Structure formats: C-alpha cells, structure tokens
Amino acid sequence: MKRNQRQVPDRSAALFCALALLVSPSPGIADEFATVDTAPEDCLVHASLVVNPGEPLTIQLFDGRRIDGKLVSFDLEKRLVTMEHWDELGASRSRTEADEVQRYEYSQRSGNGLGVAGAFLGSVVGVAIGWKMTKNGDEFMAGLEGAAAGGVIGGGLGYAAGRGMSAGDRPAGAITCGER
C-alpha cells in the first residue's frame, strides 16, 4: 500500500445484512394479524379480537333480549361483557355473562378518522415549518410557497401516520355463538 493512501473498510457485508433485516418479514407482525380470520372455538375470544372498546355493539341473549350500547370491555378470565348504555337519565353500565350471549352484532368501522386528523395536524405543522424555512427577509411570496409545499407534504405524511395508527376498516357483521 502506498504511503498517503487511506484504506477504505469494506461495508458491503454490513449493508447486505441491514437490507436483509429490512426486507425479511417480522414474525411478531405476521402473528398479530393472522388470528382474526380463523374463528376461535370460544365466541367471547373471537368477539374480543374483532370489536374494540368504545365501539357500538349489540348482543342478543339466548332468552331473546337484546342489549345495545358501546363496548366497555371483554373480561376473558371472568367471562363477562361490560357495556355502556345512554338514555334520558344518563349513562349506565351492564355486565352480561358471556355464556348467556347467543350473538354479537357489530357495525361497520372506517379507518379514516385518525387519517383525517393526522392530515390536518400534519398540514398545520408543515405550513409552519415551510413558512419558517423559506422566509427570506421581507419577501412574502417566498414564505408562501414554502408554506404551501410544507402543508401538502405535512398533510400527506400526517394522513399516512394517522391511517397507520387507526384500527382499520371493517364491514358490519355478526358473530353467532350457537344454540343452547
């Protein structure tokens, strides 16, 4: 090797390993979403995988009664369904034993709610950053162009982040627990 020549380390192996880790599927992510399509034998467990707390839910009992409200929780150990109901007197909660439930009916869920909120918040932050980064002296148009670009970029990133954090789309449906 010549005297003033630097030796450059070979980074190709490290780069290959990093790319392999990025491309390979994570087993934790695959297992998290794979269980919803396969219906478990236990109706309560299946319902807990499909319906999130705070969502509207109607349960039909084996004795014919129907209970409408919002889901508070599924207690898998005690096998209880806790729901919240609203009427003219205010809110009340009821607990129902899971073995009494014949059918769980849930409504459609749209995953756009957090996406829209993220787009709005991202746009506001993007406008502020874009305005500040391109504001040169007293020239108004330079700041305006930066604000517009920042709003578009920030809104798109905010929508993507919000949509990624949402519970996702789900069509309306029902889980039938069987006959007694």
Side-chain angles (χ1 to χ4, degrees):
M1 180 182 287
K2 292 187 182 179
R3 186 166 241 185
N4 291 328
Q5 203 173 27
R6 267 185 18 201
Q7 184 178 9
V8 178
D10 185 18
R11 294 186 178 115
S12 60
L15 181 64
F16 177 75
C17 289
L19 287 174
L21 285 173
L22 289 173
V23 173
S24 67
S26 170
I29 293 172
D31 290 340
E32 180 181 348
F33 297 107
T35 56
V36 176
D37 290 337
T38 59
E41 294 296 322
D42 187 3
C43 201
L44 179 65
V45 173
H46 189 183
S48 71
L49 292 172
V50 175
V51 183
N52 294 330
E55 291 188 67
L57 180 68
T58 300
I59 56 176
Q60 182 176 343
L61 305 179
F62 282 107
D63 64 8
R65 291 183 295 148
R66 292 176 62 87
I67 302 172
D68 294 324
K70 288 193 177 193
L71 175 67
V72 174
S73 67
F74 288 115
D75 189 341
L76 300 177
E77 290 179 14
K78 295 179 183 176
R79 301 196 47 77
L80 294 172
V81 180
T82 305
M83 293 184 55
E84 184 176 69
H85 320 278
W86 283 88
D87 58 13
E88 59 276 349
L89 301 175
S92 62
R93 288 191 176 187
S94 67
R95 287 192 172 163
T96 306
E97 291 186 26
D99 297 332
E100 300 294 320
V101 178
Q102 180 181 15
R103 181 178 170 99
Y104 297 93
E105 298 173 4
Y106 51 89
S107 60
Q108 179 179 355
R109 175 176 60 206
S110 170
N112 291 332
L114 284 178
V116 172
F120 178 73
L121 183 61
S123 292
V124 170
V125 171
V127 164
I129 291 172
W131 178 270
K132 192 69 172 167
M133 288 180 66
T134 59
K135 185 74 173 151
N136 295 332
D138 293 330
E139 190 176 328
F140 180 73
M141 287 304 290
L144 191 60
E145 290 169 355
V152 170
I153 293 169
L157 292 174
Y159 179 80
R163 180 82 173 159
M165 290 189 303
S166 72
D169 295 328
R170 178 195 66 209
I175 301 167
T176 304
C177 299
E179 300 294 323
R180 228 186 213 195

